[in-house]
Amino acid sequence: MKPSSRKPEGEPNCCPVCGKSLEIAPSRPPGDAPCPHCGTLLWFDPDDPNRPPIHERGSKLSKIYQASLRQAKLKKYDDAIDLLAECVRQDPINYEYVRTFVDTIRSKFGSSKKAGPMAMFKRRGERSALRKAISEGKWDEAIQNGLAVLEENPWDVPTLSQMATACGKVVAEKGDSAQVQSTYGDCELFYLKCASDAVPRGHPDVELSLQMAAALDRRQRFLDGLDPPRPLGH
């Protein structure tokens, strides 16, 4: 097995736990490497169609994504968000698309206050559909409706928590594969981090903290399952 490396020719990725971008050469096989900032295990799978667009440069969706980055760089946030909305509609569990979508909306508003007090009244249909999908166990439908809500307010803690719940349910049901962990699992942690960041300092949300702890525990149990069993006494 070729060990992971932090050489310049590494593959780009972004950690769903600490949120930092990085470039690192993953070990081959299985295609993983620890985040150099916080130690979280990251996956780099060129054959996974749900991985970020760095592995899909020839695809139409990748071209849309690259166009959105150019618009965001020019601070044409509305145009960038329109393009990113198309990306997440077609691939709602692509962590890179989702992260860039939310980050760009936040860049547009600048702060939660600039989202406006009326933001909570917008997208009421999608909010209702999100709650209904959660109650009916329609996890992918819930995620799609949540993304529409975040377009108006990316600091919406209840929506972020519900989207994390939907992702977490899929991980709990199917989380024994790297593909599920690198899509639903990464998105779950990202939504929880966004929600935690939006909670006012000094006013911790106990339920949200417990939800984050459960998500991290699932990830750790998955990572532990990758290690070979240790001999007794070690």
Side-chain angles (χ1 to χ4, degrees), residues 85-213:
E86 180 65 21
C87 291
V88 296
R89 273 195 295 269
Q90 294 191 41
D91 195 354
I93 55 171
N94 185 312
Y95 170 69
E96 188 70 10
Y97 291 164
V98 168
R99 181 183 64 85
T100 308
F101 178 66
V102 173
D103 286 350
T104 304
I105 299 169
R106 288 184 167 186
S107 296
K108 171 187 173 180
F109 289 117
S111 72
S112 58
K113 292 181 180 179
K114 293 182 181 180
M118 297 301 294
M120 64 179 296
F121 298 107
K122 297 179 180 179
R123 305 282 184 170
R124 285 180 293 182
E126 287 87 349
R127 290 175 189 274
S128 177
L130 167 59
R131 291 192 296 269
K132 183 179 179 182
I134 290 287
S135 67
E136 295 177 352
K138 298 178 179 178
W139 312 127
D140 290 324
E141 184 178 324
I143 293 168
Q144 286 280 12
N145 282 290
L147 287 166
V149 175
L150 295 184
E151 195 166 344
E152 294 294 340
N153 182 8
W155 295 276
D156 189 319
V157 173
T159 294
L160 290 164
S161 176
Q162 289 171 329
M163 296 176 73
T165 294
C167 291
K169 290 294 185 181
V170 177
V171 172
E173 294 169 1
K174 306 177 181 178
D176 58 346
S177 73
Q179 180 175 345
V180 171
Q181 291 290 339
S182 64
T183 52
Y184 290 98
D186 284 358
C187 288
E188 177 189 20
L189 293 177
F190 175 70
Y191 292 135
L192 289 172
K193 182 179 184 300
C194 288
S196 296
D197 291 345
V199 173
R201 291 187 177 182
H203 297 81
D205 187 318
V206 176
E207 291 187 5
L208 185 62
S209 297
L210 291 173
Q211 188 177 1
M212 173 70 85

Side-chain angles (χ1 to χ4, degrees), residues 14-35:
C14 182
C15 179
V17 175
C18 68
K20 294 184 178 180
S21 298
L22 56 102
E23 287 194 9
I24 189 170
S27 59
R28 299 290 184 189
D32 61 354
C35 171

Side-chain angles (χ1 to χ4, degrees), residues 26-97:
S27 59
R28 299 290 184 189
D32 61 354
C35 171
H37 304 287
C38 69
T40 298
L41 188 66
L42 306 174
W43 292 94
F44 302 74
D45 187 355
D47 298 320
D48 183 350
N50 291 312
R51 289 304 299 164
I54 53 174
H55 300 311
E56 308 168 330
R57 296 194 184 276
S59 70
K60 178 181 178 181
L61 209 55
S62 175
K63 292 178 181 178
I64 295 175
Y65 177 77
Q66 295 301 325
S68 76
L69 297 181
R70 291 192 291 271
Q71 294 300 311
K73 188 174 182 179
L74 295 171
K75 296 187 178 181
K76 296 182 179 180
Y77 294 123
D78 287 333
D79 292 337
I81 291 166
D82 286 344
L83 293 168
L84 287 164
E86 180 65 21
C87 291
V88 296
R89 273 195 295 269
Q90 294 191 41
D91 195 354
I93 55 171
N94 185 312
Y95 170 69
E96 188 70 10
Y97 291 164

